[in-house]
Amino acid sequence: MKSPPTSRSAGNLSDDTPRQSGLTLWRQIAETLRQEIGGTGYPPGARLPTEAELSARFAVNRHTVRRALEELSRGGLIRVEQGRGTFVAEDVLDYTVGPRTRFTEWIHRHNKEPSGRVLQRREIAADAMIAAALGIRPGARVMLLERLGLADGTPVSLTRHYFPATRLRGILHALAENPRITDALKAVGVEDYVRQVTKVTARAPTAIEVNLLRMARNRPVLVTESINVDRSGMVVEFSIGCYPTPRVQIVFEPGEGPA
Amino acid sequence: MKSPPTSRSAGNLSDDTPRQSGLTLWRQIAETLRQEIGGTGYPPGARLPTEAELSARFAVNRHTVRRALEELSRGGLIRVEQGRGTFVAEDVLDYTVGPRTRFTEWIHRHNKEPSGRVLQRREIAADAMIAAALGIRPGARVMLLERLGLADGTPVSLTRHYFPATRLRGILHALAENPRITDALKAVGVEDYVRQVTKVTARAPTAIEVNLLRMARNRPVLVTESINVDRSGMVVEFSIGCYPTPRVQIVFEPGEGPA
DNA sequence: GATTGATGGTTGTCCAGACATCCGGATGTC
DNA sequence: GACATCCGGATGTCTGGACAACCATCAATC
């Protein structure tokens, strides 16, 4: 059907994109699609042609199209779903990290409805990392709360919160009754707390995270580690949060600051 | 040479890893390598076997090995270099973002020798984004400094700094004479300055960034945007920084803080 | 009416091969 | 000695094909 191995440095894509000699095919295809998506050719949420259709259009093998789609997917422009198709990604959600970051207010600020799903709530023994963050000895009792955060029903965060059980008597009960962490802490006597330190990294998501956050496997998650202290400086919480890019991006804004 | 299509749900990898039915081959291979790298089988910087050797060892096609390596590379565990081989990644460098973040001190804190390479230093007209950040009108004169930061000779940051030229008379000359930004600002009368806001995102790197930062194409860069103000609150600098993951990770630490 | 099963369409994985591109050392040349 | 060239080895790109896994829908069955 086609000429053999195809000396790839000449000729044209059957469609509009010329085969520039210096650039690989999949990059050219990715760039073409990127422009079409950016140029209102496809609105957010719209479905792209299938891989077979695209490979026919650009007159390349399906794998080459897949390479281009993977690139766009990693960049966050599209979302690929097995058995369904590929879709243009939705808008991003700024996550403003400050001394007083609260989930509910974050989502409300974006005119969306916050909700949450508790995945775990139980007592565990502190490992070395948790102990160091909370300033307690390894093995001490720690309350773990794992929560999936949603904005208008779509997942935007996956957070694990660790509370020092001995310091905060009754925190497990309080967490069971109060969906909001701020309320639960208030119930055990912590009127106010501020974020002391936040650490940000990016990495590939785990399978579980992909599932819960409903994100593509090949997009990075932003990972934050933060320590919250009360007004007296006592550590009341250590939390690790995962956020799907590019649905969420992190904005940091230092405020008046305590200590 | 091999049995046909190979019903992949049974049998063993020729080496040590069993073909668990539920897991894809490339994931199993990635996991095996991940453990071997983690378990001191390969120290940081060590070279892994070639793709051909690995595909022979696991008795799979070279493409399957490549898929596994790509995964590890995206996760930051290894670094793949065309024509040379694949290597175990080095340690990470914490980038502590605080009100008083200075490049030189950052690197010194890690017992490394800071150095830099100026890529651009010229006057430009402010576009909308820069103007908004600096609080000046679009089109106003702005001094641009683009710099590659190195620690012990390896690139760790790529930053673009924008200074309001009319406010900071003589800044171009000062920058030409002083390698350190802190010194240059001091030369034009800015004794001290603090970071007002920092924004963090992750995205795929551009080709230029891959080159300058000597990083893998398929690892994300952390992107920061920050605004620095002097003691009176006047904006003296707006900067955009790119940092290669996982060589660099960002730690935020709010300090005493001003305003 | 609800569950089950079949079917077609779509993305995901794996194989096999060919050639391009890049790196680095060896070799040859001036 | 300095420089250019060649060449083997390594990763990068592209093709072509086969099948697996998953999704949505519709038909058949209970």
Side-chain angles (χ1 to χ4, degrees):
Chain A
M1 187 225 275
K2 294 174 58 63
S3 54
T6 331
S7 82
R8 109 183 81 127
S9 27
N12 284 338
L13 293 184
S14 77
D15 197 282
D16 39 4
T17 309
R19 290 201 187 204
Q20 306 169 29
S21 58
L23 220 47
T24 58
L25 273 177
W26 66 264
R27 280 175 206 282
Q28 294 176 51
I29 293 170
E31 193 46 43
T32 302
L33 291 175
R34 193 193 308 274
Q35 285 174 9
E36 288 180 0
I37 291 170
T40 68
Y42 301 96
R47 187 180 158 178
L48 262 59
T50 68
E51 296 176 351
E53 287 167 348
L54 287 174
S55 65
R57 169 183 160 192
F58 291 112
V60 297
N61 191 275
R62 186 181 145 225
H63 290 124
T64 307
V65 167
R66 279 177 64 76
R67 185 72 187 83
L69 291 179
E70 195 195 328
E71 181 73 5
L72 295 180
S73 175
R74 240 194 292 141
L77 204 60
I78 62 173
R79 174 173 34 93
V80 182
E81 296 184 19
Q82 179 171 0
R84 305 212 330 116
T86 76
F87 305 86
V88 178
E90 329 73 19
D91 285 343
V92 303
L93 206 63
D94 273 4
Y95 178 40
T96 304
V97 177
R100 244 158 261 269
T101 303
R102 306 290 186 263
F103 176 77
T104 310
E105 276 108 49
W106 166 36
I107 303 302
H108 270 148
R109 208 174 303 134
H110 285 85
N111 292 321
K112 292 182 186 289
E113 192 54 34
S115 60
R117 218 177 86 208
V118 173
L119 306 175
Q120 286 190 67
R121 181 179 45 231
R122 60 198 176 84
E123 193 178 294
I124 60 170
D127 63 20
M129 176 182 173
I130 299 171
L134 289 177
I136 59 180
R137 65 174 173 76
R141 291 188 305 130
V142 166
M143 213 49 71
L144 161 66
L145 175 71
E146 187 173 5
R147 216 181 81 111
L148 184 71
L150 307 102
D152 278 356
T154 58
V156 293
S157 70
L158 178 61
T159 48
R160 282 197 299 277
H161 304 265
Y162 301 94
F163 305 90
T166 49
R167 272 186 213 153
L168 303 173
R169 195 159 294 282
I171 182 69
L172 177 61
H173 181 70
L175 285 170
E177 304 245 312
N178 296 284
R180 294 186 52 190
I181 289 169
T182 307
D183 295 339
L185 283 174
K186 205 168 279 181
V188 295
V190 179
E191 283 297 319
D192 189 24
Y193 62 98
V194 294
R195 189 170 290 220
Q196 194 187 43
V197 58
T198 300
K199 211 164 156 176
V200 181
T201 334
R203 60 164 170 76
T206 67
I208 296 170
E209 288 162 359
V210 164
N211 232 313
L212 289 171
L213 294 173
R214 303 184 68 74
M215 62 183 293
R217 262 198 288 278
N218 47 4
R219 281 188 300 190
V221 287
L222 285 171
V223 183
T224 66
E225 291 178 21
S226 59
I227 295 176
N228 282 301
V229 300
D230 72 359
R231 271 198 285 248
S232 72
M234 182 182 76
V235 178
V236 295
E237 185 218 15
F238 168 59
S239 66
I240 300 178
C242 290
Y243 305 88
T245 57
R247 196 146 79 226
V248 175
Q249 87 178 36
I250 292 182
V251 178
F252 173 69
E253 191 148 12
E256 335 76 36
Chain B
M1 188 222 279
K2 294 172 59 62
S3 55
T6 331
S7 81
R8 109 182 81 126
S9 25
N12 283 339
L13 292 185
S14 76
D15 198 283
D16 40 3
T17 309
R19 290 200 187 205
Q20 306 169 29
S21 58
L23 219 49
T24 59
L25 273 177
W26 66 264
R27 279 175 207 281
Q28 294 176 50
I29 293 170
E31 193 47 44
T32 301
L33 291 175
R34 195 193 309 275
Q35 286 173 9
E36 289 180 359
I37 290 171
T40 67
Y42 301 97
R47 186 179 160 176
L48 262 60
T50 67
E51 297 177 351
E53 286 167 349
L54 287 174
S55 65
R57 168 183 163 194
F58 291 111
V60 298
N61 191 275
R62 182 178 149 231
H63 293 305
T64 308
V65 168
R66 278 177 65 76
R67 186 71 186 83
L69 290 179
E70 195 194 327
E71 181 72 5
L72 296 180
S73 173
R74 239 193 294 141
L77 204 61
I78 62 173
R79 174 173 38 90
V80 182
E81 296 185 17
Q82 178 169 358
R84 306 212 330 117
T86 77
F87 305 85
V88 178
E90 328 72 19
D91 285 343
V92 302
L93 207 63
D94 274 6
Y95 178 41
T96 305
V97 177
R100 242 160 263 269
T101 303
R102 307 290 186 264
F103 177 77
T104 310
E105 276 107 49
W106 165 36
I107 303 303
H108 271 150
R109 206 174 306 132
H110 285 84
N111 293 321
K112 291 180 187 291
E113 193 52 36
S115 60
R117 217 177 88 206
V118 172
L119 306 176
Q120 283 190 67
R121 180 178 47 229
R122 59 199 177 85
E123 193 178 295
I124 60 170
D127 63 21
M129 175 180 172
I130 299 171
L134 289 177
I136 59 180
R137 66 173 172 73
R141 290 188 306 130
V142 167
M143 214 50 71
L144 160 65
L145 175 70
E146 187 172 6
R147 218 181 80 112
L148 184 70
L150 307 101
D152 277 354
T154 58
V156 293
S157 70
L158 178 62
T159 49
R160 281 198 300 276
H161 304 265
Y162 301 94
F163 305 90
T166 50
R167 273 185 212 153
L168 303 174
R169 193 157 297 281
I171 182 69
L172 177 61
H173 181 68
L175 285 170
E177 304 247 312
N178 296 284
R180 295 186 50 191
I181 290 170
T182 307
D183 295 339
L185 283 175
K186 205 167 279 181
V188 295
V190 179
E191 283 298 319
D192 190 25
Y193 62 98
V194 294
R195 191 170 289 222
Q196 194 184 46
V197 59
T198 300
K199 209 164 158 177
V200 181
T201 334
R203 59 165 170 77
T206 67
I208 296 170
E209 288 161 359
V210 165
N211 232 313
L212 289 171
L213 294 173
R214 304 186 67 74
M215 61 183 293
R217 263 199 286 277
N218 47 1
R219 284 186 298 190
V221 287
L222 287 170
V223 182
T224 66
E225 290 177 22
S226 60
I227 296 175
N228 282 301
V229 300
D230 71 1
R231 273 199 282 250
S232 71
M234 180 182 78
V235 179
V236 295
E237 186 217 15
F238 167 58
S239 67
I240 300 178
C242 290
Y243 305 88
T245 57
R247 197 146 77 227
V248 175
Q249 85 178 37
I250 292 182
V251 177
F252 173 69
E253 190 146 12
E256 335 78 37

